[in-house]
Amino acid sequence: MKLKIAVLPGDGIGPEVTNQAIKALNAIADAFDHEFIYKEALVGAIAIDETGNPLPQETIEICEAADAILFGSIGDPKYDNNPDAKVRPEQGLLALRKTLGLYTNIRPVKAYETLLEKSPLKTEFIKGVDFTIYRELTGGIYFGKKELSEDGKTASDLCEYSDYEIERIAHQAFKAALKRRKKLTLVDKANVLESSRLWRRVVSEVSKEYPDVTLDFLFVDNAAMQMILNPKQFDVILTENMFGDIISDEGSVIGGSIGLLASASIGDDSALFEPIHGSYPQAKGQNIANPIASILSAAMLLEQFEMVDEANLVRQAVEKSLELKVSTPDLNKDNSFTTTRVGDFIAELILNNEDFKINLDNLNLGQSTII
């Protein structure tokens, strides 16, 4: 298969972790005789610095011409800490989602067996956790009308949804549930919000087309609590934009590191893949950032184009690296590896995925680990 991939490394640790994802993709291309063609573009703070725009027109055109987009991260303290900044890096990502119609965000949450002790939650609560959050991405309060009174003392943000916006993501979530454990939980605030009551009516109607999927409902405050007390109850969670933003970051606690969580943002004609962590500017250039979320995002990219065996091989290589504690300081403080070394190791596992023995001493020396 031949794919054109737009690469938007962005800010902070974005370029470092994105490079490791590209290593994994290149290893897959070599192992399976695919061709991946990359074209890099600016987004976020670096785009503001160079062009004055967090999403230059050239970047939009590169993304529109690509089959998929591999995204790093955006954000910079000089904008984050300036409440008067009129142009912000995050505006680039929001505009990209809107421009490309990326209305479905998919965030898998999984507790890896070898990392259960890294989670602040009790092992018996999280062992076996494996669920996916479907978050609506281009509607709701983030994109609604925003007003500030002339005296600056009153502000409002409109949360608005149409039945069409809800219906299209609901179908995607139900189809995903059919391939999993056939349970879907709608997270809303229908006891208070009219927009949530519309979500509940529309999703209930869509559910009639999926009789094999069990549908239940949780108010968002209860859902946030249940994700900590009993996360194993979830299979597919469907929710609106702001609620999904919050609970998906909460889900990162389960696995023990936000550096493990990948995501996909899907539209009718475009697809973007990114780790859910931020730009982590404190670690920029130190070669300590965890690249696994970015690498797993690349696995989701492969799966989107029906390269299921390839995606599974990437995930197996990631799990092997975690099992062998070939990981960055956030997961392995005593004997940690650099971002680059973890990326090299996972790529090498992909290329040598049958019978092998691993020499971890060689990894520290930058030599081949396969003997």
Side-chain angles (χ1 to χ4, degrees):
M1 179 175 287
K2 182 177 181 179
L3 285 181
K4 292 184 291 183
I5 301 173
V7 179
L8 278 59
D11 308 319
I13 63 169
E16 298 170 53
V17 297
T18 302
N19 284 341
Q20 312 317 310
I22 290 173
K23 287 178 185 176
L25 288 173
N26 287 339
I28 288 293
D30 290 343
F32 290 85
D33 197 26
H34 298 312
E35 183 180 1
F36 301 144
I37 302 169
Y38 308 100
K39 189 159 187 180
E40 193 165 315
L42 298 173
V43 71
I46 189 171
I48 298 174
D49 292 344
E50 295 197 20
T51 71
N53 187 342
L55 183 66
Q57 182 60 34
E58 182 183 3
T59 298
I60 294 173
E61 292 171 1
I62 289 172
C63 291
E64 288 177 334
D67 298 303
I69 303 158
L70 190 63
F71 195 96
S73 60
I74 53 172
D76 189 286
K78 67 183 176 184
Y79 298 101
D80 298 341
N81 299 330
N82 180 6
D84 297 322
K86 300 300 183 185
V87 180
R88 296 181 178 276
E90 292 75 15
Q91 292 170 345
L93 181 55
L94 292 175
L96 188 62
R97 290 170 178 169
K98 200 71 172 178
T99 301
L100 299 180
L102 304 175
Y103 59 84
T104 296
N105 182 248
I106 306 168
R107 295 192 177 187
V109 176
K110 181 176 180 178
Y112 290 95
E113 188 74 22
T114 56
L115 296 177
L116 295 179
E117 77 283 357
K118 300 294 183 183
S119 174
L121 304 181
K122 292 181 179 180
T123 297
E124 58 264 31
F125 289 174
I126 63 171
K127 187 174 183 179
V129 166
D130 183 355
F131 63 87
T132 299
I133 299 171
Y134 274 67
R135 166 193 170 193
E136 201 288 324
L137 205 56
T138 57
I141 200 166
Y142 289 174
F143 290 92
K145 184 178 179 181
K146 305 177 190 316
E147 292 186 339
L148 179 67
S149 63
E150 289 186 6
D151 63 7
K153 295 182 179 180
T154 304
S156 65
D157 298 275
L158 178 65
C159 182
E160 186 174 46
Y161 273 106
S162 68
D163 56 355
Y164 168 71
E165 289 175 301
I166 299 166
E167 184 177 339
R168 62 184 180 179
I169 188 174
H171 279 293
Q172 289 201 14
F174 275 106
K175 288 174 183 176
L178 281 174
K179 297 177 182 178
R180 294 174 53 90
R181 301 191 302 276
K182 298 182 173 59
K183 180 183 177 183
L184 188 147
T185 301
L186 175 65
V187 171
D188 61 26
K189 194 63 177 170
N191 57 335
V192 176
L193 301 178
E194 194 62 47
S195 57
S196 283
R197 287 190 275 273
L198 179 64
W199 269 85
R200 194 167 286 210
R201 289 197 299 272
V202 173
V203 172
S204 296
E205 190 64 29
V206 171
S207 72
K208 296 175 183 177
E209 300 181 39
Y210 303 89
D212 293 335
V213 177
T214 300
L215 172 64
D216 65 1
F217 307 94
L218 281 178
F219 296 143
V220 64
D221 43 356
N222 187 24
M225 181 174 65
Q226 292 298 321
M227 281 180 62
I228 301 302
L229 294 178
N230 183 21
K232 284 185 280 192
Q233 69 182 282
F234 297 113
D235 181 23
V236 174
I237 294 175
L238 171 63
T239 192
E240 60 100 68
N241 202 342
M242 185 171 70
F243 296 161
D245 190 6
I246 295 167
I247 66 171
S248 57
D249 278 9
E250 182 188 13
S252 70
V253 174
I254 294 172
S257 172
I258 200 170
L260 298 173
L261 295 189
S263 76
S265 299
I266 308 296
D268 292 332
D269 302 308
S270 299
L272 180 149
F273 304 86
E274 61 174 318
I276 78 162
H277 59 66
S279 61
Y280 193 15
Q282 303 92 324
K284 179 181 178 181
Q286 295 185 45
N287 208 13
I288 60 171
N290 190 338
I292 286 179
S294 189
I295 292 169
L296 290 175
S297 297
M300 295 183 76
L301 184 158
L302 295 168
E303 201 164 46
Q304 175 70 16
F305 293 92
E306 300 184 354
M307 289 182 274
V308 176
D309 290 341
E310 292 90 329
N312 286 338
L313 181 54
V314 173
R315 294 187 180 110
Q316 289 166 13
V318 165
E319 293 205 29
K320 177 61 73 172
S321 73
L322 293 174
E323 176 188 332
L324 295 170
K325 301 188 184 304
V326 180
S327 49
T328 43
D330 58 314
L331 296 177
N332 186 5
K333 288 183 171 57
D334 296 330
N335 185 28
S336 60
F337 293 85
T338 65
T339 305
T340 304
R341 285 284 182 261
V342 173
D344 289 342
F345 185 68
I346 290 172
E348 194 166 3
L349 286 176
I350 292 169
L351 288 169
N352 299 275
N353 59 81
E354 295 182 355
D355 295 327
F356 57 81
K357 295 180 181 179
I358 297 168
N359 186 331
L360 294 180
D361 291 335
N362 281 1
L363 184 64
N364 284 317
L365 294 172
Q367 299 172 356
S368 175
T369 62
I370 307 302
I371 59 175

